[in-house]
Amino acid sequence: MKENRYMLLIKQTFKSLNAFEIALLLAILSLAILSFIIKGDFGVNALIAAVGAILGVFCVVFGAKGSLANWIFGVVEAFLHIYICFCTHIYGDMLQRIFYNLPMQFIGFKMWKKRTRNDGTATIHTRYMNARQRWITLGSVALGTGALGVFLIYFGPWMIGVLTDIFPDMKFITLKSDYDTHMQLWLDSFTTVLSIITMIVSVKAYVEQWYMWLIINIAYIALWLMSDSVFSFMTVSKYCVYLINSIYGIYMWNKLSKD
């Protein structure tokens, strides 16, 4: 029987892993085991958090390699992250995952497939933005951040008030109705907009995405460090590995653009 093309793609990617990539994957596996030992929590939610973190790291490591398998793991991880956000009341992130990140996994797979190399590595040809595209991206982030920040200042409390009237148990950790300082509000707006735009840059296979992910991962580590939920340890661990991987992604994608 002919092997499923997606399974073949995943096998090709695993066979091409180098020592550093294997180390990143083993690191998150070790942290998952450590989480169970330290907390002594072997419940379903703890298991889902661990599996989500592991799959998420597989996704970004494969992404740094420029492998199509990135998007396959991304679909499964997106569903698990949606569940985690629902349980921890991070509804802004949850809605973004449902209506944006999840559909973009399928779009990304289709777009990257057109740029696949014919050398059996299941990797793609990467590229750089031109000056005009970089300015458009920077301008979009600035305008989007400004628009979302103004919206949160003048309409955020009203919007969240309406939502909490409909869903009394709803809570917001990000894009919320009250911030300790204006700086937090603008940082929240910035990371939300930057995450949306970076996904577009990623789908188009531009090297610059990894510099953008680097900033995003630092912000998300700070966000989850402030949470005391059952998911916090593994989620922070996941984003720490993401941070290391984003630096590796910068190196690899610069290299892939020249091969």
Side-chain angles (χ1 to χ4, degrees), residues 15 28 42 46 72 80 85-87 101 104 107 140 160 168-169 174 179 182 198 208 257:
K15 287 180 180 179
I28 197 65
F42 300 93
I72 298 173
L80 294 180
C85 287
F86 176 78
C87 292
N101 289 67
M104 288 295 278
I107 296 171
S140 298
I160 293 172
D169 296 328
T174 183
Y179 294 83
H182 274 291
T198 302
E208 286 82 357
S257 69

Side-chain angles (χ1 to χ4, degrees), residues 60-150:
V60 297
V61 169
F62 290 166
K65 286 181 67 66
S67 170
L68 279 166
N70 155 54
W71 302 105
I72 298 173
F73 281 87
V75 170
V76 182
E77 191 274 339
F79 277 113
L80 294 180
H81 195 85
I82 287 167
Y83 172 78
I84 290 171
C85 287
F86 176 78
C87 292
T88 51
H89 310 293
I90 306 179
Y91 295 106
D93 194 11
M94 183 187 76
L95 292 173
Q96 180 180 315
R97 291 272 180 160
I98 291 173
F99 295 108
Y100 184 71
N101 289 67
L102 183 58
M104 288 295 278
Q105 302 301 316
F106 298 97
I107 296 171
F109 185 88
K110 183 178 179 180
M111 295 285 285
W112 279 27
K113 191 175 179 181
K114 297 176 182 178
R115 303 185 61 81
T116 306
R117 297 170 183 269
N118 296 317
D119 57 3
T121 62
T123 59
I124 63 168
H125 292 280
T126 64
R127 53 184 173 170
Y128 295 98
M129 291 180 175
N130 58 39
R132 180 173 175 273
Q133 290 168 325
R134 289 175 180 173
W135 281 112
I136 289 174
T137 301
L138 287 171
S140 298
V141 172
L143 288 173
T145 299
L148 182 57
V150 170

Side-chain angles (χ1 to χ4, degrees), residues 18 52 67 77 105 141 144 171 178 183 194 235:
N18 61 36
S67 170
E77 191 274 339
Q105 302 301 316
V141 172
K171 297 178 183 177
D178 58 328
M183 181 58 70
L194 185 60
T235 305

Side-chain angles (χ1 to χ4, degrees), residues 209-233:
Q209 65 152 315
W210 291 103
Y211 297 95
M212 299 164 78
W213 286 125
L214 183 68
I215 297 169
I216 292 166
N217 289 328
I218 292 171
Y220 275 124
I221 288 170
L223 172 66
W224 280 95
L225 281 174
M226 292 184 284
S227 173
D228 60 355
S229 77
V230 67
F231 303 105
S232 297
F233 179 83

